[in-house]
Amino acid sequence: MSLNEISTSRIFILCTLIAPLLTDKETLLPAPQNISILSINMKHFLTWNPVIVPGDTVRYSVEFQGEYERYYANESWIAISECSLIIVTQCDVTEDISATVPYNLRVRANLGSQSSKWSTLNGLFNRKTTFLTPPMMKVIADGYHLLVELEELGPAFQFHIFYWRKGQENEMHKKTVKEISSVVHLDTMEAGADYCVKAQTYVEAINRSSNFSQMQCVGVQDGGSTWLTITVVSFAGFVVGVLALPFLAWKMSQIFQYSCCPVVVLPDTLKITESPAKLIHCRSEETEGCDVAVHVIPPEEILQLWIQDAL
């Protein structure tokens, strides 16, 4: 081997050892790739592919730049505190994208003291491009009442509900609901008719509406007749109760009267069988021919006789 070849080999080895020390640290850690944003129903998520480092856990940090920062704050960036040094590969940026203006977003990888270069979203994002899904709903026939249940999507959403009698689409009615509590009453249905309902979401902040939900139709169920029957029977029972109340009150008063104040019946031995005039006449003349014989009975015998007659 010549002297030149030996010198070249030594220089190559030396460069190989020194090159990592002279290289910027950011190039040692790859930057995240495939930055994209997923936005559905005003919920916005920044996503990216993971950076793989065998044996280590890579963390990520996210920043955003709004219209104000871009034009009036020297193109500064604002860190998203909820997405600083996270280990997942997505970040919820819904709260940070609070205006209907173009936003820029970027993410970088962190490993110990090393940081990758920033990877920026390809193009600006405006929340007015969010995808609005048709609302999930359930149409209910409660007797003759037409009701609808709608999913809760948040305070930014309103619902446009359209309903009509089947076969009369030209007479469609519209109802706008801003707050969903439980169920929404739409109309009172006619017997023997079906009613159809469809709905869409609307977001005033971006002035956009979703597509319509799938149409659902209902009619008066058997429960309506049952409900009417129960109502009639209940009313009839109430009337019968009102009419029977005076009789029951009189009957109860009689029972209480006989229970509290019973009628005392004298024994036959204490009953006077002769007229008072005849008794007075006999006593005054003291004649022996008088048919009435007076027999004095002791009080104890009177009480005993009275108890026997009562039993």
Side-chain angles (χ1 to χ4, degrees):
M1 180 180 292
S2 64
L3 182 61
N4 291 335
E5 291 177 349
I6 294 174
S7 299
T8 303
S9 299
R10 290 178 177 178
I11 293 173
F12 176 77
I13 294 172
L14 183 63
C15 291
T16 303
L17 296 174
I18 296 176
L21 301 177
L22 300 177
T23 305
D24 192 334
K25 289 183 179 181
E26 291 187 349
T27 61
L28 298 177
L29 191 63
Q33 301 297 317
N34 294 330
I35 313 301
S36 62
I37 192 162
L38 176 64
S39 179
I40 300 176
N41 290 335
M42 299 296 285
K43 299 290 185 181
H44 320 300
F45 296 88
L46 187 71
T47 64
W48 57 90
N49 288 350
V51 175
I52 305 299
V53 177
D56 287 311
T57 300
V58 179
R59 297 180 179 272
Y60 307 93
S61 299
V62 180
E63 295 181 348
F64 76 93
Q65 183 186 74
E67 192 175 54
Y68 177 81
E69 292 78 22
R70 189 162 48 252
Y71 295 115
Y72 304 104
N74 298 323
E75 297 185 350
S76 60
W77 292 79
I78 299 176
I80 300 177
S81 58
E82 295 82 6
C83 297
S84 178
L85 299 177
I86 58 176
I87 61 175
V88 295
T89 57
Q90 71 172 22
C91 173
D92 185 355
V93 297
T94 303
E95 297 298 326
D96 303 283
I97 301 179
S98 56
T100 310
V101 296
Y103 284 83
N104 201 359
L105 297 114
R106 66 183 187 180
V107 59
R108 72 177 178 184
N110 303 98
L111 181 60
S113 60
Q114 302 180 29
S115 298
S116 72
K117 290 184 178 180
W118 289 100
S119 292
T120 305
L121 183 66
N122 185 20
L124 301 178
F125 170 74
N126 194 318
R127 67 178 186 177
K128 68 181 180 182
T129 61
T130 187
F131 179 72
L132 299 178
T133 61
M136 295 179 60
M137 71 172 189
K138 180 181 180 182
V139 182
I140 305 170
D142 184 9
Y144 289 91
H145 299 286
L146 179 62
L147 310 175
V148 61
E149 289 183 357
L150 294 166
E151 65 173 328
E152 178 61 47
L153 294 176
F157 284 81
Q158 300 179 20
F159 299 89
H160 297 321
I161 307 172
F162 296 84
Y163 59 97
W164 64 95
R165 182 170 177 172
K166 195 172 184 178
Q168 298 181 1
E169 287 76 6
N170 57 335
E171 298 182 5
M172 188 176 297
H173 304 278
K174 177 183 177 181
K175 188 169 186 175
T176 299
V177 180
K178 295 184 178 180
E179 294 182 1
I180 300 298
S181 55
S182 55
V183 295
V184 180
H185 181 271
L186 298 178
D187 203 352
T188 301
M189 299 184 292
E190 297 181 6
D194 290 339
Y195 287 77
C196 300
V197 181
K198 65 180 181 179
Q200 65 178 172
T201 57
Y202 172 74
V203 181
E204 186 176 6
I206 61 176
N207 193 26
R208 282 187 54 219
S209 301
S210 71
N211 293 328
F212 282 102
S213 62
Q214 186 175 1
M215 178 182 65
Q216 298 183 29
C217 299
V218 296
V220 178
Q221 303 297 322
D222 294 338
S225 302
T226 304
W227 175 83
L228 182 61
T229 303
I230 293 174
T231 303
V232 172
V233 171
S234 300
F235 179 76
F238 173 76
V239 172
V240 172
V242 170
L243 295 178
L245 186 61
F247 173 77
L248 293 176
W250 174 81
K251 191 65 178 177
M252 292 298 296
S253 66
Q254 294 294 318
I255 294 174
F256 281 118
Q257 180 179 356
Y258 288 120
S259 299
C260 299
C261 304
V263 177
V264 178
V265 180
L266 293 176
D268 294 338
T269 56
L270 297 181
K271 293 181 180 180
I272 300 175
T273 58
E274 301 293 342
S275 64
K278 187 174 181 180
L279 290 175
I280 295 173
H281 177 72
C282 292
R283 186 171 183 178
S284 60
E285 292 184 356
E286 297 181 354
T287 57
E288 294 181 359
C290 184
D291 296 334
V292 179
V294 179
H295 178 66
V296 179
I297 303 175
E300 295 80 3
E301 295 183 9
I302 295 175
L303 180 60
Q304 185 177 3
L305 292 173
W306 183 81
I307 294 174
Q308 291 178 354
D309 290 342
L311 295 177

